[in-house]
Amino acid sequence: MPEKALLVVSFGTSHLDTLEKTIVPIEEDLAAALPDRVLRRAFTSGMILRKLEARDGLHIDDVPRALEGLAGAGVRDAVVQPTHIMHGAEYDKLLAQAEPFRGRFERLAVGRPLLSAEEDYRQAAEALLEALPERAEDRALVFMGHGTEHFANPAYCQLEYLLHDLGRTDVLVGTVEGYPGFGEVLRRLSERPGVRRVVLAPLMIVAGDHAKNDLAGPEPDSWKSQLEALGYETDCRLTGLGEYPGLRGIFVRHALEAAGDGPK
Ligand code: CO
């Protein structure tokens, strides 16, 4: 085992198709940018870890196990890079789980989540717009973020604000569990009587349960079904954020900063 390691920490997903398209490419880009480090994976969601183990016999470490393994193998310098979107509850949990391992490494650094500095929001907004359809008078783009009770929740509002400042006032951000919710999205759409078409996309690293069911599912309470019941034409783009190269670049920059390597 080399002396330097990079532990990539994700919330995780039990949908293996989106895992391959989102978390794996993030890990690959990070591995390519920090080639002197051995790469390991950890997930923070205990529920997902248990499900993968029971259903697929797939074992993935949680953060304490992964750090224990690295320390035990003689790693002295560990960078932990989360794929979390914001400094919310999952990031707090990661920091708390890493803390007891400080004495086990000569150096243990945790990289910042996706949306931290203004520069991150700007780069994220540009990466999203590069991949999304141009502005059209009769169309709106609606992102579904997760949302949280954590005080980091306004990150969604800041991203939307920045998109509007870039001239894309046709983009709205709503969340499943926080503010703004889908009710606010519907109200703001109704304030734009010219809009008849809505592009729906997840604002989550993976396009898992929330994207497949809450956003685009056939049940009457999905965002897609509710919009269609109101007469909107919908177009679901089930692309997890990990699929956007420009967003993966933000994680790479944050990992390089944590490694002390600086941007290339
Ligand atoms: Co959820």
Side-chain angles (χ1 to χ4, degrees):
M1 174 76 85
E3 292 195 342
K4 291 173 150 194
L6 171 65
L7 177 63
V8 183
V9 177
S10 301
F11 177 79
T13 177
S14 62
H15 294 258
L16 300 178
D17 55 342
T18 187
L19 170 69
E20 286 301 320
K21 288 194 279 186
T22 58
I23 292 173
V24 169
I26 295 172
E27 291 168 344
E28 286 172 349
D29 283 8
L30 287 165
L34 293 97
D36 57 332
R37 291 176 182 268
V38 62
L39 184 134
R40 290 286 183 270
R41 167 191 292 166
F43 286 175
T44 54
S45 168
M47 188 195 68
I48 282 168
L49 290 175
R50 286 188 295 276
K51 186 166 177 181
L52 289 172
E53 184 98 55
R55 187 192 65 190
D56 307 320
L58 181 60
H59 178 79
I60 295 172
D61 281 341
D62 60 13
V63 171
R65 267 174 189 270
L67 288 175
E68 187 63 55
L70 292 175
V75 167
R76 298 165 146 208
D77 176 335
V79 166
V80 178
Q81 179 58 50
T83 69
H84 301 133
I85 291 182
M86 57 179 64
H87 184 150
E90 292 296 318
Y91 191 78
D92 277 343
K93 178 170 145 188
L94 164 61
L95 293 178
Q97 289 182 330
E99 198 51 38
F101 288 89
R102 288 224 168 266
R104 305 283 301 279
F105 299 95
E106 281 170 22
R107 190 165 176 281
L108 175 64
V110 181
R112 291 181 294 141
L114 184 73
L115 299 176
S116 300
E118 183 191 338
E119 180 189 8
D120 303 331
Y121 285 87
R122 197 167 288 281
Q123 197 176 334
E126 283 164 2
L128 292 172
L129 291 180
E130 244 170 55
L132 288 163
E134 305 267 292
R135 191 187 175 107
E137 278 312 304
D138 67 337
R139 182 171 62 200
L141 301 181
V142 172
F143 280 108
M144 173 192 263
H146 194 278
T148 172
E149 290 176 359
H150 192 280
F151 58 77
N153 188 75
Y156 297 109
C157 305
Q158 177 153 325
L159 182 64
E160 187 192 83
Y161 205 104
L162 191 73
L163 285 158
H164 289 195
D165 275 345
L166 291 173
R168 294 300 301 267
T169 51
D170 56 321
V171 184
L172 298 174
V173 178
T175 68
V176 195
E177 292 178 18
Y179 173 86
F182 189 54
E184 281 80 22
V185 169
L186 287 180
R187 195 201 70 236
R188 286 188 277 154
L189 284 173
S190 75
E191 289 163 0
R192 303 160 189 216
V195 170
R196 299 315 316 152
R197 297 185 289 156
V198 179
V199 173
L200 291 164
L203 191 69
M204 303 181 198
I205 295 301
V206 304
D209 257 345
H210 287 302
K212 290 178 183 177
N213 299 317
D214 302 325
L215 183 69
E219 301 78 16
D221 59 347
S222 74
W223 289 18
K224 172 187 157 76
S225 299
Q226 292 189 63
L227 285 166
E228 287 176 354
L230 290 167
Y232 292 102
E233 201 179 292
T234 63
D235 172 6
C236 296
R237 310 270 174 111
L238 297 189
T239 309
L241 298 187
E243 294 177 64
Y244 297 81
L247 295 178
R248 298 201 294 268
I250 300 176
F251 289 123
V252 166
R253 182 160 52 74
H254 289 177
L256 290 170
E257 283 164 10
D261 299 351
K264 288 210 172 138

